[in-house]
Amino acid sequence: MSYPGYPPSGGYPAFPGYPPTGQESVYPPAGQYSYPTVPGGYPPAGAGTYPAAPPSAGYPGTAGYPAPGGYPAPGGYPGAPQAGGMPPYPGGPGFGAPPAGPGFGGYPQPPAQSYAGGGPAQIPVGYPGGQAPSPMPGPPAAMVQCTQGTIQAAPNFDAGRDAEILRKAMKGFGTDEQAIINVVANRSNDQRQKIKAAFKTMYGKDLIKDLKSELSGNVEELILALFMPRTYYDAWSLRHAMKGAGTQERVLIEILCTRTNQEIREIVNCYKSEFGRDIEEDIRADTSGHFERLLISMCQGNRDENQTVDYQKAQEDAQRLYQAGEGRLGTDESCFNMVLASRSFPQLKATVEAYSRIANRDLLSSIDREFSGNVERGLKTILQCALNRPAFFAERLYYSMKGAGTDDSTLIRIIVTRSEIDLVQIKQMFTQMYQKTLATMIASDTSGDYRRLLLAIVGQ
């Protein structure tokens, strides 16, 4: 059975620890792509983590950030919780009075953090058409925002023992789905690759083919996704988003606009080695205009990842963006592309703050007014990740299940790709934003083994 169409048309929408170089990868069979190790969390080691730009007051703003596709976010957006615990709401951290000036459209903000020089540095106020005053120099942002996955590497791991359990669960009449769930939901991606290799060594059979013969529907898609090496899963998702009639633009946006430089470079290389295709050529064939240019920019994996914020540059970029959009007739799209595709996420966060003071409007709202369609969604996704990445994925999960029907491929993709990165923080944001837990919504929208496996990954 071939993979189910992935994701469905119109679907919307990743990470540490690939199998070490040289690790046998029995699936996918083509190319035997080698996945380098990316230790730690997100971003990869060496790139640091994304600190928050100095906030000026409690959040959210009163406007409430409009979700991609025009969905309003129920209840507005709270501040991002600290790792390791669920802050109370309402009235908890991040629920202070709205700032005196315009905020970020209510997009949830990480909690206030101290910087090396004492209190939060202040972003100076500029005025449309006027000279930007000299900002107070901000000290290097050295604070760490921890993230945590719900799946950790299992202690006392034995690939051979797990292979035996899976073989027993599929042998004979019927399938012991619960035994399969107990293994796959409690092993890291790296450990699952070792289980595949052990299974073939012990039984001379391909584990993935055996699983496909025993499973079907959404639970099959979910288990196959869990057994794909992470880089391959992203490359595979991109390929299927552009394969055949139509293009699933939101999948392209979700992956290319949210990954780190190292991840994007690995995805581009994997796409070439596994599918024998150039991803830029496929993007050019399937997209056009300013959206095409934004995706090509993302494919370079050349975003500045210096974690020190230059507040003078943030002020200059904010002024530049104002003059390219709100401050003129028409829009200079290339200016928005240049700033949003090249600046680091902490730098973009500072630019958003500076812009709200200059333009008397938040940057997300300006993009709403100046752009439309896929390029609007792509630019807003970049800014949302700069402001609060877990909140972005929480929102995507919510709208994958809201209303009639479920966008299962988006639900599966986000749960799988974030399960070892920041799913703990995504769960916290989900509860704050929608006053219900992610597990509760999954339980009401899914059923059977599919529900049991999702809940085993997410946790209660």
Side-chain angles (χ1 to χ4, degrees):
M1 172 180 174
S2 62
Y3 288 162
Y6 183 88
S9 179
Y12 187 100
F15 260 47
Y18 302 101
T21 304
Q23 168 71 44
E24 179 183 10
S25 174
V26 299
Y27 180 79
Q32 295 296 311
Y33 182 79
S34 174
Y35 299 91
T37 298
V38 183
Y42 176 91
T49 53
Y50 297 131
S56 56
Y59 293 92
T62 55
Y65 169 68
Y71 298 112
Y77 284 78
Q82 292 285 9
M86 173 69 68
Y89 66 90
F95 283 88
F104 303 161
Y107 201 80
Q109 300 303 305
Q113 301 183 55
S114 296
Y115 286 74
Q122 296 299 311
I123 306 296
V125 178
Y127 299 91
Q131 285 291 332
S134 296
M136 292 171 60
M143 302 307 292
V144 173
Q145 181 106 17
C146 297
T147 59
Q148 182 183 353
T150 56
I151 292 180
Q152 311 290 332
N156 305 315
F157 171 68
D158 184 334
R161 182 182 59 203
D162 285 347
E164 190 175 351
I165 292 170
L166 293 178
R167 170 69 172 153
K168 198 172 294 184
M170 294 183 286
K171 191 176 181 181
F173 182 75
T175 304
D176 185 352
E177 289 88 355
Q178 190 59 51
I180 297 173
I181 290 171
N182 290 342
V183 170
V184 299
N186 295 288
R187 304 293 184 270
S188 68
N189 189 277
D190 178 55
Q191 290 174 334
R192 292 186 211 112
Q193 308 314 312
K194 294 174 180 174
I195 293 170
K196 285 194 301 188
F199 192 93
K200 185 170 254 186
T201 299
M202 294 166 65
Y203 304 111
K205 300 185 71 176
D206 188 297
L207 173 59
I208 302 305
K209 288 181 180 176
D210 278 11
L211 287 169
K212 287 179 69 171
S213 69
E214 298 290 331
L215 305 169
S216 62
N218 291 322
V219 72
E220 176 193 358
E221 182 177 350
L222 177 54
I223 286 181
L224 294 183
L226 287 165
F227 272 103
M228 288 187 198
R230 285 178 191 81
T231 300
Y232 181 85
Y233 186 32
D234 275 347
W236 181 84
S237 298
L238 291 170
R239 176 68 191 123
H240 280 70
M242 294 184 281
K243 190 177 181 181
T247 304
Q248 295 155 38
E249 290 89 354
R250 296 196 181 201
V251 180
L252 306 183
I253 292 168
E254 181 205 312
I255 295 174
L256 293 175
C257 293
T258 66
R259 304 309 195 239
T260 65
N261 287 348
Q262 181 175 344
E263 288 160 351
I264 286 176
R265 291 166 187 162
E266 290 169 0
I267 289 166
V268 169
N269 291 336
C270 177
Y271 194 96
K272 180 74 171 178
S273 65
E274 293 299 318
F275 307 116
R277 304 177 69 90
D278 184 289
I279 193 169
E280 287 188 28
E281 291 179 5
D282 282 355
I283 287 171
R284 288 193 179 95
D286 275 59
T287 62
S288 61
H290 298 294
F291 181 52
E292 172 197 327
R293 294 174 204 170
L294 179 63
L295 293 183
I296 296 298
S297 294
M298 294 296 99
C299 282
Q300 306 315 302
N302 281 330
R303 180 181 299 282
D304 179 17
E305 290 187 336
N306 182 353
Q307 300 304 292
T308 301
V309 174
D310 182 337
Y311 293 105
Q312 178 66 48
K313 180 187 281 187
Q315 186 74 21
E316 293 166 357
D317 281 347
Q319 191 75 35
R320 184 181 289 121
L321 291 172
Y322 179 83
Q323 297 297 341
E326 298 280 3
R328 59 173 283 171
L329 186 64
T331 307
D332 180 359
E333 294 88 354
S334 63
C335 178
F336 280 82
N337 192 102
M338 183 274 289
V339 173
L340 270 65
S342 61
R343 303 294 188 252
S344 72
F345 286 119
Q347 185 70 31
L348 285 175
K349 193 173 191 301
T351 303
V352 170
E353 280 203 3
Y355 185 93
S356 69
R357 299 169 186 272
I358 289 175
N360 200 32
R361 183 189 304 279
D362 67 88
L363 185 51
L364 286 164
S365 295
S366 289
I367 289 174
D368 254 339
R369 289 157 59 92
E370 299 292 327
F371 294 87
S372 63
N374 291 314
V375 67
E376 175 197 342
R377 280 189 281 269
L379 293 171
K380 287 168 69 174
T381 294
I382 294 168
L383 286 184
Q384 290 161 19
C385 286
L387 294 171
N388 190 333
R389 182 178 271 101
F392 165 75
F393 285 111
E395 181 184 71
R396 295 315 313 148
L397 286 170
Y398 179 79
Y399 287 107
S400 74
M401 295 179 280
K402 185 178 183 290
T406 303
D407 180 356
D408 292 293
S409 288
T410 294
L411 175 61
I412 289 169
R413 186 173 56 256
I414 295 176
I415 293 296
V416 170
T417 58
R418 311 311 296 185
S419 62
E420 294 180 49
I421 312 306
D422 54 2
L423 192 51
V424 168
Q425 284 67 40
I426 292 169
K427 287 168 57 181
Q428 292 170 350
M429 289 309 309
F430 192 98
T431 302
Q432 290 189 13
M433 291 158 67
Y434 305 112
Q435 289 73 56
K436 66 175 79 174
T437 67
L438 177 57
T440 298
M441 196 163 184
I442 288 173
S444 66
D445 250 58
T446 60
S447 62
D449 295 321
Y450 177 47
R451 172 201 287 165
R452 280 190 285 275
L453 180 50
L454 282 172
L455 293 178
I457 298 168
V458 169
Q460 298 302 316

